[in-house]
Coordinates of all heavy atoms in Angstrom, one line a residue:
M1 N -1.8 2.5 19.9 CA -2.4 1.1 19.6 C -1.9 0.8 18.0 O -2.1 1.6 17.2 CB -3.9 1.1 19.5 CG -4.3 -0.3 19.8 SD -6.2 -0.3 19.9 CE -6.7 0.0 18.2
S2 N -1.3 -0.3 17.8 CA -0.9 -0.8 16.5 C -2.0 -1.2 15.6 O -3.1 -1.7 16.1 CB 0.1 -1.9 16.6 OG -0.4 -3.0 16.9
D3 N -1.9 -1.0 14.3 CA -2.9 -1.4 13.3 C -2.6 -2.8 12.8 O -3.6 -3.6 12.5 CB -2.8 -0.5 12.2 CG -3.1 0.9 12.5 OD1 -4.1 1.3 13.2 OD2 -2.3 1.9 12.2
L4 N -1.4 -3.2 12.9 CA -1.0 -4.5 12.4 C 0.2 -5.0 13.1 O 0.9 -4.3 13.7 CB -0.5 -4.3 10.9 CG -1.6 -3.9 9.8 CD1 -0.9 -3.4 8.5 CD2 -2.4 -5.1 9.4
L5 N 0.6 -6.3 12.9 CA 1.7 -6.8 13.4 C 2.7 -7.1 12.3 O 2.3 -7.8 11.3 CB 1.5 -8.1 14.2 CG 0.6 -8.0 15.5 CD1 0.5 -9.3 16.1 CD2 1.3 -7.1 16.4
L6 N 3.9 -6.7 12.3 CA 4.9 -6.9 11.3 C 5.1 -8.3 11.0 O 5.1 -8.7 9.8 CB 6.3 -6.2 11.8 CG 7.3 -6.3 10.7 CD1 6.9 -5.4 9.6 CD2 8.6 -5.9 11.4
S7 N 4.9 -9.2 12.0 CA 5.2 -10.6 11.8 C 4.1 -11.3 11.0 O 4.2 -12.3 10.5 CB 5.3 -11.4 13.1 OG 4.2 -11.1 14.0
Q8 N 2.8 -10.5 11.0 CA 1.7 -11.1 10.1 C 1.7 -10.5 8.8 O 0.9 -10.9 8.0 CB 0.5 -10.8 10.9 CG 0.3 -11.5 12.2 CD -0.9 -11.2 12.9 OE1 -1.5 -10.2 12.8 NE2 -1.3 -12.1 13.9
L9 N 2.5 -9.6 8.5 CA 2.6 -9.0 7.1 C 3.6 -9.6 6.3 O 4.7 -9.6 6.5 CB 3.0 -7.5 7.2 CG 2.0 -6.3 7.2 CD1 2.9 -4.9 7.3 CD2 1.1 -6.3 6.2
Q10 N 3.1 -10.2 5.3 CA 3.9 -11.0 4.4 C 4.3 -10.2 3.2 O 3.6 -9.5 2.6 CB 3.4 -12.3 3.9 CG 3.0 -13.3 5.0 CD 2.2 -14.5 4.4 OE1 2.4 -14.9 3.2 NE2 1.2 -15.0 5.0
Q11 N 5.6 -10.4 2.9 CA 6.2 -9.7 1.7 C 5.3 -10.1 0.4 O 5.0 -11.3 0.3 CB 7.5 -10.4 1.5 CG 8.3 -9.9 0.3 CD 9.5 -8.8 0.8 OE1 9.7 -8.8 1.9 NE2 9.9 -8.2 -0.3
G12 N 5.0 -9.2 -0.3 CA 4.2 -9.5 -1.6 C 2.6 -9.7 -1.3 O 2.0 -10.0 -2.2
K13 N 2.3 -9.6 -0.2 CA 0.9 -9.8 0.2 C 0.2 -8.6 1.0 O 0.2 -8.6 2.2 CB 0.6 -10.9 1.1 CG 0.8 -12.3 0.4 CD -0.4 -13.3 0.9 CE -0.2 -14.7 0.3 NZ 0.1 -14.8 -1.1
P14 N -0.1 -7.4 0.2 CA -0.5 -6.3 0.9 C -1.9 -6.6 1.6 O -2.5 -7.5 1.3 CB -0.7 -5.3 -0.3 CG -0.6 -6.1 -1.5 CD 0.0 -7.4 -1.3
V15 N -2.2 -5.7 2.6 CA -3.4 -5.8 3.2 C -4.2 -4.5 3.3 O -3.5 -3.5 3.2 CB -3.2 -6.3 4.7 CG1 -2.6 -7.8 4.8 CG2 -2.5 -5.3 5.5
K16 N -5.5 -4.5 3.5 CA -6.2 -3.4 3.6 C -6.5 -3.0 5.0 O -6.9 -4.0 5.8 CB -7.6 -3.7 2.8 CG -8.5 -2.6 2.8 CD -9.5 -2.7 1.5 CE -10.6 -3.8 1.8 NZ -11.4 -3.6 0.6
V17 N -6.4 -1.8 5.4 CA -6.7 -1.3 6.7 C -7.6 -0.1 6.6 O -7.4 0.8 5.8 CB -5.3 -0.8 7.4 CG1 -5.6 -0.2 8.7 CG2 -4.3 -1.9 7.5
E18 N -8.6 -0.1 7.4 CA -9.7 1.0 7.5 C -9.1 1.8 8.8 O -9.1 1.3 9.9 CB -10.9 0.4 7.8 CG -11.5 -0.6 6.8 CD -12.2 -0.1 5.6 OE1 -12.5 1.2 5.6 OE2 -12.4 -0.8 4.7
K19 N -9.0 3.1 8.6 CA -8.5 3.8 9.7 C -9.1 5.3 9.4 O -8.8 5.9 8.5 CB -7.1 3.8 9.9 CG -6.6 4.5 11.1 CD -5.2 4.2 11.5 CE -4.8 4.8 12.8 NZ -3.3 4.7 13.2
N20 N -9.6 5.8 10.6 CA -10.2 7.2 10.5 C -10.9 7.5 9.2 O -10.7 8.6 8.6 CB -8.9 8.2 10.7 CG -8.3 8.1 12.1 OD1 -8.8 7.3 12.8 ND2 -7.2 8.7 12.2
G21 N -11.7 6.6 8.7 CA -12.6 7.0 7.6 C -11.8 6.7 6.3 O -12.4 6.9 5.2
K22 N -10.5 6.3 6.4 CA -9.7 6.1 5.0 C -9.5 4.6 4.8 O -9.5 3.7 5.7 CB -8.3 6.6 5.2 CG -8.4 8.1 5.4 CD -8.3 9.0 4.2 CE -8.1 10.4 4.5 NZ -8.5 11.2 3.4
T23 N -9.4 4.1 3.6 CA -9.1 2.8 3.2 C -7.7 2.8 2.7 O -7.4 3.4 1.7 CB -10.1 2.2 2.4 OG1 -11.3 2.4 2.8 CG2 -9.9 0.7 2.1
I24 N -6.8 2.1 3.4 CA -5.4 2.2 3.1 C -4.9 0.7 2.8 O -5.2 -0.2 3.4 CB -4.6 2.7 4.4 CG1 -5.4 4.2 4.7 CG2 -3.1 2.9 4.2 CD1 -5.0 4.7 6.1
C25 N -3.9 0.7 1.9 CA -3.2 -0.4 1.5 C -1.8 -0.4 2.1 O -1.1 0.5 1.9 CB -3.0 -0.4 0.0 SG -2.1 -1.8 -0.6
V26 N -1.6 -1.4 2.9 CA -0.4 -1.5 3.6 C 0.5 -2.7 3.0 O 0.0 -3.8 3.0 CB -0.5 -1.8 5.1 CG1 0.7 -1.8 5.9 CG2 -1.4 -0.6 5.7
A27 N 1.8 -2.4 2.7 CA 2.6 -3.5 2.1 C 4.0 -3.5 2.6 O 4.5 -2.4 3.0 CB 2.7 -3.2 0.5
R28 N 4.4 -4.7 2.8 CA 5.8 -4.9 3.4 C 6.7 -5.1 2.3 O 6.6 -6.1 1.4 CB 5.8 -6.1 4.4 CG 7.0 -6.5 5.0 CD 6.9 -7.5 6.0 NE 8.3 -7.8 6.5 CZ 8.4 -8.5 7.7 NH1 7.4 -9.0 8.2 NH2 9.6 -8.8 8.1
V29 N 7.8 -4.5 2.3 CA 9.0 -4.7 1.5 C 10.3 -5.0 2.2 O 10.7 -4.0 2.9 CB 9.2 -3.5 0.4 CG1 10.4 -3.8 -0.6 CG2 8.0 -3.4 -0.4
G30 N 10.7 -6.2 2.4 CA 11.8 -6.5 3.4 C 11.4 -6.2 4.8 O 10.3 -6.5 5.1
D31 N 12.0 -5.3 5.5 CA 11.7 -4.9 6.9 C 11.0 -3.5 6.8 O 10.7 -2.9 7.9 CB 12.7 -4.9 7.8 CG 12.9 -6.4 8.3 OD1 11.9 -7.2 8.2 OD2 14.1 -6.7 8.6
Q32 N 10.8 -3.0 5.6 CA 10.0 -1.6 5.5 C 8.6 -1.9 5.2 O 8.2 -2.9 4.6 CB 10.7 -0.9 4.3 CG 12.1 -0.3 4.6 CD 12.6 0.4 3.5 OE1 13.1 -0.2 2.5 NE2 12.5 1.8 3.5
V33 N 7.8 -1.0 5.7 CA 6.4 -1.1 5.5 C 5.8 0.2 4.9 O 6.2 1.4 5.4 CB 5.6 -1.3 6.9 CG1 4.2 -1.4 6.6 CG2 6.2 -2.7 7.4
F34 N 5.0 0.1 3.9 CA 4.6 1.3 3.1 C 3.0 1.3 3.2 O 2.4 0.3 3.2 CB 4.9 1.4 1.7 CG 6.5 1.4 1.6 CD1 7.2 0.2 1.5 CD2 7.2 2.6 1.7 CE1 8.6 0.2 1.4 CE2 8.6 2.6 1.6 CZ 9.3 1.5 1.5
A35 N 2.5 2.5 3.2 CA 1.0 2.7 3.2 C 0.5 3.7 2.2 O 1.2 4.8 2.1 CB 0.5 3.1 4.6
V36 N -0.4 3.3 1.4 CA -0.9 4.2 0.3 C -2.3 4.1 0.3 O -2.9 3.1 0.8 CB -0.3 3.9 -1.1 CG1 1.2 4.1 -1.2 CG2 -0.7 2.4 -1.5
D37 N -3.0 4.9 -0.5 CA -4.5 4.9 -0.7 C -4.8 3.4 -1.2 O -4.1 3.0 -2.1 CB -5.0 5.8 -1.7 CG -5.1 7.2 -1.1 OD1 -5.3 7.4 0.0 OD2 -4.9 8.2 -1.9
D38 N -5.9 2.8 -0.7 CA -6.1 1.5 -1.3 C -6.9 1.6 -2.6 O -6.8 0.6 -3.4 CB -7.0 0.7 -0.2 CG -7.3 -0.7 -0.7 OD1 -6.2 -1.5 -0.9 OD2 -8.4 -1.1 -0.9
T39 N -7.6 2.7 -2.8 CA -8.3 2.8 -4.1 C -7.4 3.3 -5.2 O -6.7 4.4 -5.0 CB -9.4 3.6 -4.0 OG1 -10.3 3.1 -2.9 CG2 -10.3 3.8 -5.2
C40 N -7.3 2.6 -6.2 CA -6.5 3.0 -7.3 C -6.9 4.4 -7.9 O -8.1 4.7 -7.9 CB -6.7 2.0 -8.6 SG -5.7 2.4 -9.9
S41 N -5.9 5.2 -8.3 CA -6.2 6.7 -8.7 C -6.8 6.5 -10.1 O -7.3 7.5 -10.6 CB -5.1 7.5 -8.7 OG -4.1 7.1 -9.8
H42 N -6.8 5.5 -10.7 CA -7.4 5.3 -12.1 C -9.0 5.1 -12.0 O -9.6 5.8 -12.7 CB -6.8 4.2 -12.9 CG -7.3 4.0 -14.3 ND1 -7.9 2.9 -14.7 CD2 -7.5 4.9 -15.2 CE1 -8.4 2.9 -16.0 NE2 -8.1 4.2 -16.2
S43 N -9.3 4.1 -11.3 CA -10.7 3.8 -11.1 C -10.9 3.0 -9.8 O -10.1 3.1 -8.9 CB -11.2 2.9 -12.4 OG -12.6 2.8 -12.3
D44 N -12.1 2.4 -9.8 CA -12.5 1.9 -8.3 C -12.0 0.5 -8.1 O -12.7 -0.5 -8.2 CB -14.0 2.0 -8.2 CG -14.4 1.8 -6.7 OD1 -13.5 1.9 -5.8 OD2 -15.6 1.5 -6.5
A45 N -10.7 0.3 -7.9 CA -10.1 -1.1 -7.6 C -9.3 -1.0 -6.4 O -8.7 0.0 -6.1 CB -9.3 -1.5 -8.8
S46 N -9.3 -2.0 -5.6 CA -8.5 -2.1 -4.4 C -7.2 -2.5 -4.6 O -6.9 -3.7 -5.0 CB -9.4 -3.1 -3.5 OG -8.6 -3.3 -2.3
L47 N -6.2 -1.8 -4.3 CA -4.8 -2.0 -4.6 C -4.4 -3.2 -3.7 O -3.4 -3.8 -4.0 CB -4.0 -0.8 -4.5 CG -4.1 0.2 -5.6 CD1 -3.4 1.5 -5.2 CD2 -3.8 -0.3 -6.9
S48 N -4.9 -3.4 -2.6 CA -4.3 -4.5 -1.8 C -4.6 -5.9 -2.3 O -4.0 -6.8 -1.8 CB -5.0 -4.3 -0.3 OG -6.4 -4.3 -0.5
E49 N -5.3 -5.8 -3.4 CA -5.5 -7.2 -4.1 C -4.6 -7.3 -5.3 O -4.6 -8.2 -6.1 CB -7.0 -7.3 -4.7 CG -8.0 -7.4 -3.6 CD -9.5 -7.2 -4.0 OE1 -9.8 -7.6 -5.0 OE2 -10.3 -6.7 -3.2
G50 N -3.7 -6.2 -5.4 CA -2.7 -6.3 -6.5 C -1.5 -7.0 -6.1 O -1.3 -7.5 -4.9
D51 N -0.5 -6.9 -7.0 CA 0.8 -7.6 -6.7 C 1.9 -6.6 -6.5 O 2.0 -5.5 -7.1 CB 1.3 -8.3 -8.0 CG 0.5 -9.5 -8.3 OD1 0.0 -10.2 -7.4 OD2 0.2 -9.8 -9.5
V52 N 2.8 -7.0 -5.6 CA 3.9 -6.1 -5.2 C 5.2 -6.7 -5.8 O 5.4 -8.0 -5.5 CB 3.9 -6.0 -3.6 CG1 5.3 -5.2 -3.2 CG2 2.7 -5.2 -3.2
T53 N 6.0 -5.9 -6.4 CA 7.2 -6.4 -6.9 C 8.3 -5.2 -6.6 O 8.0 -4.1 -7.0 CB 7.2 -6.5 -8.4 OG1 6.1 -7.4 -8.8 CG2 8.5 -7.2 -8.9
D54 N 9.2 -5.5 -5.8 CA 10.1 -4.6 -5.3 C 9.4 -3.5 -4.7 O 8.6 -3.8 -3.8 CB 11.1 -4.0 -6.3 CG 11.9 -5.1 -7.1 OD1 12.3 -6.0 -6.3 OD2 12.2 -5.0 -8.3
F55 N 9.5 -2.3 -5.0 CA 8.8 -1.1 -4.5 C 7.6 -0.7 -5.2 O 7.0 0.4 -5.0 CB 9.7 0.1 -4.2 CG 10.9 -0.2 -3.2 CD1 12.1 -0.5 -3.6 CD2 10.5 -0.1 -1.7 CE1 13.1 -0.8 -2.7 CE2 11.6 -0.3 -0.8 CZ 12.8 -0.7 -1.3
K56 N 7.1 -1.6 -6.1 CA 6.0 -1.3 -6.9 C 4.8 -2.1 -6.6 O 5.0 -3.3 -6.2 CB 6.3 -1.5 -8.5 CG 7.3 -0.5 -8.9 CD 7.5 -0.7 -10.6 CE 8.1 -2.1 -10.8 NZ 8.5 -2.1 -12.2
I57 N 3.7 -1.5 -6.6 CA 2.3 -2.2 -6.6 C 1.6 -2.1 -7.8 O 1.6 -1.0 -8.5 CB 1.6 -1.8 -5.2 CG1 0.4 -2.8 -5.1 CG2 1.1 -0.3 -5.4 CD1 -0.2 -2.7 -3.7
E58 N 1.0 -3.2 -8.3 CA 0.3 -3.2 -9.7 C -1.2 -3.4 -9.4 O -1.5 -4.3 -8.7 CB 0.9 -4.3 -10.5 CG 0.3 -4.4 -11.8 CD 0.7 -5.5 -12.7 OE1 1.8 -6.1 -12.3 OE2 0.2 -5.8 -13.7
C59 N -1.9 -2.5 -10.0 CA -3.3 -2.6 -9.9 C -3.8 -3.8 -10.7 O -3.4 -4.0 -11.8 CB -4.0 -1.4 -10.4 SG -5.8 -1.4 -10.3
W60 N -4.6 -4.7 -10.0 CA -5.1 -6.0 -10.9 C -6.0 -5.6 -11.9 O -6.2 -6.5 -12.8 CB -5.7 -6.9 -9.7 CG -6.9 -6.3 -9.0 CD1 -6.8 -5.5 -7.8 CD2 -8.2 -6.3 -9.5 NE1 -8.1 -5.1 -7.5 CE2 -8.9 -5.5 -8.5 CE3 -9.0 -6.8 -10.5 CZ2 -10.4 -5.4 -8.7 CZ3 -10.3 -6.7 -10.7 CH2 -11.1 -6.0 -9.6
L61 N -6.7 -4.4 -11.9 CA -7.8 -4.2 -12.8 C -7.3 -3.8 -14.2 O -7.6 -4.4 -15.2 CB -8.8 -3.1 -12.2 CG -10.0 -3.0 -13.0 CD1 -10.8 -4.3 -13.1 CD2 -10.9 -2.0 -12.3
H62 N -6.4 -2.8 -14.3 CA -5.9 -2.4 -15.7 C -4.4 -2.4 -15.7 O -3.7 -2.0 -16.7 CB -6.4 -1.1 -16.1 CG -7.9 -1.0 -16.0 ND1 -8.6 -0.1 -15.2 CD2 -8.9 -1.6 -16.8 CE1 -9.8 -0.3 -15.3 NE2 -10.2 -1.1 -16.1
G63 N -3.7 -2.9 -14.6 CA -2.2 -2.9 -14.7 C -1.4 -1.7 -14.4 O -0.2 -1.8 -14.5
A64 N -2.0 -0.7 -13.9 CA -1.1 0.5 -13.6 C -0.2 0.2 -12.5 O -0.7 -0.6 -11.5 CB -2.0 1.7 -13.2
E65 N 1.0 0.7 -12.4 CA 1.9 0.4 -11.3 C 2.2 1.8 -10.6 O 2.3 2.9 -11.2 CB 3.1 -0.1 -11.9 CG 3.2 -1.5 -12.4 CD 4.4 -2.0 -13.0 OE1 4.9 -1.2 -14.0 OE2 4.9 -3.1 -12.7
F66 N 2.4 1.6 -9.3 CA 2.7 2.8 -8.5 C 4.0 2.5 -7.7 O 4.1 1.4 -7.2 CB 1.5 3.1 -7.5 CG 0.2 3.4 -8.3 CD1 -0.7 2.4 -8.6 CD2 -0.2 4.8 -8.5 CE1 -1.9 2.7 -9.2 CE2 -1.2 5.0 -9.2 CZ -2.3 3.9 -9.4
D67 N 4.6 3.5 -7.4 CA 5.7 3.5 -6.5 C 5.3 3.5 -5.0 O 4.6 4.5 -4.7 CB 6.8 4.5 -6.7 CG 8.0 4.3 -6.0 OD1 8.1 4.0 -4.8 OD2 9.2 4.6 -6.5
L68 N 5.5 2.5 -4.2 CA 5.0 2.5 -2.8 C 5.7 3.6 -2.0 O 5.0 4.0 -1.0 CB 5.2 1.1 -2.2 CG 4.3 0.0 -2.6 CD1 5.0 -1.4 -2.2 CD2 3.0 0.2 -2.1
R69 N 6.8 4.0 -2.4 CA 7.6 5.0 -1.5 C 7.0 6.4 -1.8 O 6.9 7.1 -0.8 CB 9.1 4.9 -1.9 CG 9.7 3.5 -1.6 CD 11.1 3.4 -2.3 NE 10.9 3.3 -3.7 CZ 11.9 3.1 -4.5 NH1 13.0 2.8 -4.1 NH2 11.7 3.0 -5.9
T70 N 6.6 6.8 -3.0 CA 6.2 8.1 -3.3 C 4.7 8.2 -3.6 O 4.3 9.4 -3.7 CB 7.1 8.6 -4.4 OG1 6.7 7.9 -5.5 CG2 8.4 8.6 -4.1
G71 N 4.1 7.1 -4.0 CA 2.7 7.1 -4.5 C 2.7 7.4 -6.0 O 1.5 7.4 -6.6
E72 N 3.8 7.7 -6.6 CA 3.8 8.2 -8.0 C 3.3 7.0 -9.0 O 3.5 5.8 -8.7 CB 5.3 8.4 -8.4 CG 5.5 9.0 -9.8 CD 7.0 9.0 -10.2 OE1 7.8 8.7 -9.3 OE2 7.2 9.4 -11.3
A73 N 2.5 7.4 -10.0 CA 2.0 6.6 -10.9 C 3.1 6.4 -11.9 O 3.6 7.3 -12.6 CB 0.7 7.2 -11.6
L74 N 3.5 5.1 -12.1 CA 4.7 4.7 -13.0 C 4.2 4.4 -14.3 O 5.0 4.6 -15.3 CB 5.4 3.6 -12.3 CG 6.0 3.9 -11.0 CD1 6.6 2.7 -10.3 CD2 7.1 5.0 -10.9
T75 N 3.1 3.7 -14.5 CA 2.6 3.2 -15.8 C 1.1 3.4 -16.0 O 0.4 3.4 -15.0 CB 2.8 1.7 -15.9 OG1 2.3 1.0 -14.9 CG2 4.3 1.3 -16.1
P76 N 0.8 3.7 -17.2 CA -0.7 4.0 -17.6 C -1.4 2.8 -17.3 O -0.9 1.7 -17.2 CB -0.6 4.4 -19.0 CG 0.9 4.5 -19.5 CD 1.6 3.8 -18.4
P77 N -2.7 2.9 -17.1 CA -3.5 4.0 -17.4 C -3.7 5.0 -16.2 O -4.3 6.1 -16.4 CB -5.0 3.3 -17.7 CG -5.0 2.2 -16.9 CD -3.7 1.6 -17.0
A78 N -3.1 4.8 -15.1 CA -3.1 5.7 -14.0 C -2.2 6.9 -14.3 O -1.1 6.6 -14.8 CB -2.8 5.1 -12.6
V79 N -2.6 8.0 -14.0 CA -1.5 9.2 -14.1 C -1.5 9.9 -12.7 O -0.4 10.5 -12.4 CB -2.0 10.3 -15.2 CG1 -1.6 9.7 -16.5 CG2 -3.4 10.5 -15.1
A80 N -2.6 9.9 -12.0 CA -2.6 10.7 -10.7 C -1.8 9.8 -9.6 O -2.0 8.6 -9.6 CB -4.0 11.0 -10.3
P81 N -1.0 10.5 -8.8 CA -0.4 9.7 -7.7 C -1.4 9.3 -6.6 O -2.5 9.8 -6.6 CB 0.6 10.7 -7.1 CG 0.0 12.0 -7.4 CD -0.8 11.9 -8.8
L82 N -0.9 8.4 -5.8 CA -1.8 7.9 -4.6 C -1.2 8.7 -3.5 O 0.0 9.1 -3.4 CB -1.4 6.4 -4.4 CG -1.7 5.4 -5.3 CD1 -1.1 4.1 -5.0 CD2 -3.3 5.3 -5.5
H83 N -2.1 8.9 -2.5 CA -1.7 9.6 -1.3 C -0.8 8.6 -0.5 O -1.2 7.4 -0.4 CB -2.9 10.0 -0.5 CG -2.5 10.9 0.6 ND1 -2.4 12.2 0.6 CD2 -2.3 10.5 1.9 CE1 -2.0 12.7 1.7 NE2 -2.1 11.6 2.6
T84 N 0.3 9.0 0.0 CA 1.0 8.1 0.9 C 0.8 8.5 2.4 O 0.6 9.6 2.6 CB 2.5 8.1 0.6 OG1 3.0 9.4 0.8 CG2 2.8 7.6 -0.9
Y85 N 1.1 7.4 3.3 CA 0.9 7.7 4.6 C 2.2 7.2 5.4 O 2.8 6.3 5.0 CB -0.3 6.9 5.2 CG -1.6 7.2 4.6 CD1 -2.0 6.6 3.4 CD2 -2.4 8.2 5.1 CE1 -3.2 7.0 2.8 CE2 -3.6 8.7 4.4 CZ -4.0 8.0 3.3 OH -5.1 8.3 2.6
G86 N 2.5 8.0 6.5 CA 3.7 7.6 7.2 C 3.3 6.3 7.9 O 2.2 6.1 8.3
V87 N 4.4 5.4 8.2 CA 4.2 4.2 8.9 C 5.3 4.1 10.0 O 6.4 4.3 9.7 CB 4.3 3.0 8.0 CG1 4.3 1.7 8.7 CG2 3.4 3.0 6.8
H88 N 4.8 3.8 11.2 CA 5.7 3.8 12.3 C 5.8 2.3 12.7 O 4.9 1.6 13.0 CB 5.2 4.5 13.5 CG 6.1 4.5 14.6 ND1 7.4 5.2 14.6 CD2 6.0 4.0 15.9 CE1 7.9 5.1 15.8 NE2 7.1 4.3 16.6
V89 N 7.0 1.7 12.7 CA 7.2 0.3 13.1 C 8.0 0.4 14.4 O 9.1 1.0 14.4 CB 8.0 -0.4 11.9 CG1 8.3 -1.9 12.4 CG2 7.3 -0.4 10.6
D90 N 7.5 -0.3 15.3 CA 8.1 -0.3 16.6 C 8.2 -1.8 17.1 O 7.1 -2.4 17.5 CB 7.4 0.5 17.7 CG 8.0 0.5 19.1 OD1 9.2 0.1 19.0 OD2 7.4 0.9 20.0
G91 N 9.2 -2.5 16.9 CA 9.3 -3.9 17.2 C 8.3 -4.7 16.2 O 8.6 -4.5 15.1
D92 N 7.3 -5.1 16.8 CA 6.4 -6.1 15.9 C 5.2 -5.2 15.6 O 4.3 -5.6 14.8 CB 6.0 -7.3 16.6 CG 5.4 -8.4 15.7 OD1 6.0 -8.3 14.5 OD2 4.6 -9.2 16.0
S93 N 5.1 -4.1 16.2 CA 3.9 -3.2 16.0 C 3.9 -2.2 14.8 O 5.0 -1.5 14.7 CB 3.6 -2.6 17.4 OG 3.2 -1.2 17.3
V94 N 3.0 -2.2 14.1 CA 3.0 -1.4 12.9 C 1.8 -0.4 12.8 O 0.7 -0.8 13.1 CB 2.8 -2.2 11.5 CG1 2.7 -1.3 10.4 CG2 4.0 -3.2 11.4
T95 N 2.1 0.9 12.9 CA 1.1 1.9 13.0 C 1.0 2.8 11.8 O 2.1 3.4 11.4 CB 1.2 2.7 14.3 OG1 1.4 1.9 15.4 CG2 0.0 3.6 14.6
V96 N 0.0 2.9 11.1 CA -0.2 4.0 10.0 C -0.6 5.2 10.7 O -1.5 5.4 11.4 CB -1.3 3.4 9.0 CG1 -1.5 4.5 8.0 CG2 -1.1 2.1 8.6
E97 N 0.3 6.3 10.3 CA 0.1 7.6 10.7 C -0.9 8.4 10.0 O -0.7 8.7 8.8 CB 1.4 8.3 10.9 CG 2.3 7.6 11.9 CD 3.8 8.1 11.8 OE1 4.1 8.7 10.8 OE2 4.6 7.7 12.8
I98 N -2.1 8.5 10.5 CA -3.1 9.3 9.8 C -4.0 10.0 10.9 O -4.2 9.5 12.0 CB -4.0 8.3 9.0 CG1 -5.2 8.9 8.4 CG2 -4.3 7.0 9.8 CD1 -5.9 8.2 7.4
Ligands
FES1 S1 -8.4 0.8 -11.8 FE1 -6.3 0.6 -11.3 S2 -5.4 0.7 -13.3 FE2 -7.5 1.0 -13.6

């Protein structure tokens, strides 16, 4: 069963998905879809409310940026990486692998 539809995922507008007890931020970049922890590794902010530029997502609270592909923290104040999740895209159906 898919979690989301690709056609409903807009570039630059990440969404929050709850699955198996996890809160996950799903972001579309072109036709690729990435999934990372929704909670910033710095403090308690929801990354799905942040901005996506290229492959980066920026936390709205203190401005830390993360690489959506690897979860790596790119700019302070965050230092710890985000957990990343596999995403399976099949036609219009997007499934977060967790
Ligand atoms: S909570 Fe995200 S940068 Fe501070």
Side-chain angles (χ1 to χ4, degrees):
M1 198 178 78
S2 68
D3 298 311
L4 293 160
L5 295 179
L6 187 64
S7 56
Q8 290 177 341
L9 258 185
Q10 289 176 44
Q11 182 102 12
K13 290 227 187 300
V15 298
K16 180 156 74 173
V17 171
E18 310 267 350
K19 188 168 183 185
N20 295 354
K22 303 268 189 199
T23 309
I24 299 164
C25 170
V26 180
R28 177 175 183 168
V29 181
D31 278 336
Q32 288 180 280
V33 181
F34 299 94
V36 296
D37 284 331
D38 187 60
T39 304
C40 183
S41 69
H42 176 241
S43 191
D44 195 14
S46 175
L47 289 173
S48 53
E49 293 168 34
D51 288 324
V52 174
T53 309
D54 299 326
F55 291 100
K56 287 187 293 192
I57 189 161
E58 181 179 346
C59 178
W60 58 272
L61 192 51
H62 309 111
E65 292 175 305
F66 299 90
D67 190 315
L68 285 165
R69 297 167 292 189
T70 61
E72 186 188 353
L74 300 172
T75 52
V79 285
L82 300 170
H83 190 85
T84 59
Y85 301 89
V87 178
H88 184 68
V89 180
D90 181 13
D92 199 32
S93 138
V94 177
T95 307
V96 179
E97 289 162 352
I98 173 170

